[in-house]
Amino acid sequence: MRFTTNVLKLSPGRLVLLGVIFSALLIWLGMGFSPQPLLVNRANGSYVVIDKDGHLLRLSLTSDEKYRLWTPLAELPKTLQDATLHYEDRWFYQHPGINPIALCRAVLSSLIPHHRWMGASTLTMQLARQRWRLKTDTVTGKLKQMAYALWLERHFSKTELLQAYLNLAPYGANIEGAGAAAWVYFHKPVSALSLDEARVLALIPQNPSLRAPMNPAAMQKLHQAWQTAYGDDPGFDRLWFKLRKDLPFRAPHLAERLHSLYPQASILQSTLDNTVQELSEELLAGFLTQHRLQSVVNASVLVVHAPTMSVLGYVGSADYFNRDIQGYVNGLKALRSPGSTLKPFIYAQAIAQGLITPDIRIKDTPLRMGDYQPENFERNFYGPLSATDALVRSRNIPAISLLAQLQKPTFHQFLQQAGIPIPKQAANYGLSLAIGSAEISMEDLLRLYGLLANNGELKDLRWLSQSDKPTQAGKPLLLPEAAFLVREMLEKNPRPQRSFGGRSFGQQHAVAWKTGTSSGLKDAWAIGIMDDLLVGVWAGNFDGSPNRHLVGRELVGPLLFSILDAVAMERPPPAIDRQPLTGLKRIEICPLSGQPVSPWCPRGKTGWIIPGVSPIKTCTLHRQIRINPANGLRLCPDDKSPGETRVAEFWDSDELESFRQAGVRRDNPPPFDHACDDAEESNAAANPPKIVSPQAGVSYPVRAGQQNTIEFSAISAGGRHRLFWFVDDNFIGEGTTLFWPGKPGQFAVAVVDDQGQSASVTFKVVPTD
């Protein structure tokens, strides 16, 4: 009762004041129950990309065309924080978002005619204006600003508010936040600002339109503000401001790639080497100028430090801003047909699975596998050649033949294990995987070639420079010995005849390299490993249009070596002594077959094998025979007649045909003088004839009323001279190839050589309209 009486005795003015205080208290308490506002929209921020040495590559714009870079308070210099509070709001830590004393002083000064208006906005009020884009030049706008400031103070700590302010404060034009301002004006992170640089930034937000150092007049205004704030301190004269138009826009495809990989990061320090990047861009530009008359207008380059797989150079296209060539497309990320660039991994798998050694003889002869009859790029055949020569010459037939033999894993499974995004099942690609039917990006292709540089370990590309983190461990994917041997095989690939760029520093360095040309002449590739460098070059058109000049070896091979040599000159590689792995053994081999020598092979050549893995069958190409001097025919082993002993070469019939077409003479051993009882002499059990056509289980169409023929062809083993054909046990003719008049039905065809060895298949002939 006494309290009520005392209240009633209060004057009207005091009652109003009490009501205002009580209302303010209720509002303050009510704000605590309101939803917490979003202080800073960090999702719509800029990002910075720098090279490995900290040089600025790009500062991106936000979706609303601002430079706004989120920077934690811990990274903002204490000097900048203190100078900002001293210059903008000395009582920041004492007021609740509104400074009543400053507000009253501002109101009184506004009532005095011709008196300069005094600012009353606290740092929190300025944050509210910037955060909600408020117009505060009216009473209503100012009241709204104060309300928002109180709301912010109710929900956030002073530290959070200071951090938000320094990230949203205006620093001139479209620059918001101290983090962005540091990069724009000084090309360095805000944490690296000097004392003078930090102090001068604190002066800009109070009047950014007049003080942002973008022209001489603004520089003068900023200098005046410095003198007002810091007196005669000479620090301003030590400053060197960058202009906004000086912001670099380098390695744009890399910047976008990094942002897509790390979308939450605001500062991305890449592994990019400035020297390597400049060399790559310079040589690529010169290469395109040289080939412009051939309508070669676009290319990409990727340079990687092989041991760590760090990206040193990244040129996604010839010109990012050239829309005529779709230069904004990142050619290093785009999926393209790799041509023959995947062949080294077919050979590596074949070595690891014990199918071949680098020196073993494999066939480059006509091949038919079901309905698939592959061809070489030059549409010719070299006959028998070593696995190394077949890989170096990029022959399609040997690679396809090896791919068909791979098991556990198949080549399709191997690519999947390597993380290559192959969308289709193995059956959809078939054997054409060997010649580039599955599209792949340059990034993934260089990850694969990293296997050859890192002893079979698969490593992801390393994008960010993180000196405090150890080099990533690789995933064992390829037998180390197989990786070593394939790299050594590729080092036997001679340099291209033409050179580009005029550099020859790397001539003494071994380069393991491979080229590729996609079907239809749409893509030209070259990949090379030299010392610790791994380089990939691509040329083509993003719209997929063909060009007869897009041939890997002739077109981009010279560019690859120009980049390798130039980088090696500017960035000398470390001395790397690549010793053979302990799992390898060198043995004496036959110079022609590549197999372990037999007593009748020429001597003097050695080659690598992997003990317990590699095929070690003794050479059967060279064999000892006895000749009847009277007629020059071969004697059977059980024939005791006197004869001349010779060493003969036993080539298969398809190999002999390739030699004949190439103009190389290879004689088949003479036929036997008479039928032999001992089949071992002719090695018949191991070398029956092989039927090439017809294929087992394949249906062959014939049209009624037309002359239909089906090709019968076979390969006879070395030393065989005659082949006899039978259909359902009926003799139909003799020869390596003949044509049989087809008729509907199912048939069994057999071929028998002159030593009685045979092969057979069953096939169907079906009528069609």
Side-chain angles (χ1 to χ4, degrees), residues 40-315:
V40 178
N41 182 13
R42 294 177 58 182
N44 188 23
S46 301
Y47 61 90
V48 167
V49 179
I50 55 179
D51 67 15
K52 69 181 184 67
D53 297 317
H55 300 127
L56 180 62
L57 299 175
R58 181 179 177 183
L59 174 63
S60 74
L61 285 166
T62 63
S63 60
D64 55 348
E65 299 296 313
K66 303 283 188 181
Y67 291 112
R68 183 191 307 117
L69 184 69
W70 172 258
T71 308
L73 190 65
E75 296 180 14
L76 294 166
K78 190 67 165 57
T79 302
L80 175 62
Q81 298 179 40
D82 293 343
T84 300
L85 292 176
H86 178 81
Y87 199 71
E88 295 286 349
D89 190 352
R90 299 183 183 184
W91 304 99
F92 173 69
Y93 287 104
Q94 283 74 43
H95 63 67
I98 300 172
N99 188 336
I101 298 175
L103 187 62
C104 291
R105 187 168 60 244
V107 171
L108 290 175
S109 68
S110 67
L111 297 177
I112 302 174
H114 309 296
H115 194 276
R116 184 178 66 88
W117 283 54
M118 299 182 63
S121 293
T122 63
L123 189 143
T124 312
M125 290 172 64
Q126 295 179 52
L127 172 61
R129 182 182 66 239
Q130 191 72 9
R131 171 64 184 83
W132 283 283
R133 309 297 183 190
L134 301 176
K135 294 184 178 181
T136 59
D137 53 354
T138 65
V139 175
T140 302
K142 183 62 70 173
L143 291 175
K144 185 181 294 186
Q145 180 186 22
M146 295 166 61
Y148 274 117
L150 292 171
W151 189 25
L152 290 176
E153 291 275 356
R154 186 69 178 90
H155 285 283
F156 298 99
S157 67
K158 290 291 187 179
T159 299
E160 291 173 316
L161 293 174
L162 178 59
Q163 176 178 256
Y165 173 79
L166 289 173
N167 276 280
L168 292 179
Y171 284 87
N174 60 342
I175 305 166
E176 293 185 357
W183 284 108
V184 173
Y185 296 131
F186 303 111
H187 287 195
K188 63 174 66 174
V190 68
S191 59
L193 292 178
S194 68
L195 176 66
D196 295 329
E197 291 167 343
R199 290 195 298 167
V200 80
L201 282 188
L203 303 177
I204 299 175
Q206 191 175 83
N207 199 340
S209 61
L210 294 180
R211 296 179 183 175
M214 296 183 180
N215 54 64
M219 288 284 290
Q220 185 176 1
K221 290 289 185 182
L222 184 60
H223 191 196
Q224 292 172 359
W226 175 280
Q227 292 175 327
T228 301
Y230 309 121
D232 295 330
D233 190 312
F236 191 87
D237 297 327
R238 295 191 292 263
L239 298 173
W240 187 267
F241 294 98
K242 306 285 186 180
L243 298 179
R244 187 176 48 162
K245 66 181 181 63
D246 295 331
L247 280 174
F249 194 84
R250 299 202 51 231
H253 292 101
L254 175 69
E256 292 176 354
R257 188 74 174 109
L258 289 178
H259 182 57
S260 69
L261 291 170
Y262 309 98
Q264 302 303 319
S266 56
I267 298 182
L268 296 156
Q269 182 165 13
S270 68
T271 57
L272 198 78
D273 184 294
N274 185 59
T275 300
V276 174
Q277 180 72 11
E278 288 183 349
L279 284 172
S280 300
E281 292 172 349
E282 173 191 342
L283 290 169
L284 181 59
F287 164 81
L288 293 173
T289 299
Q290 185 183 50
H291 293 281
R292 193 171 303 280
L293 293 179
Q294 298 172 327
S295 298
V296 177
V297 295
N298 208 352
S300 302
V301 176
L302 180 57
V303 183
V304 171
H305 177 246
T308 62
M309 295 302 287
S310 299
V311 175
L312 303 180
Y314 196 94
V315 186

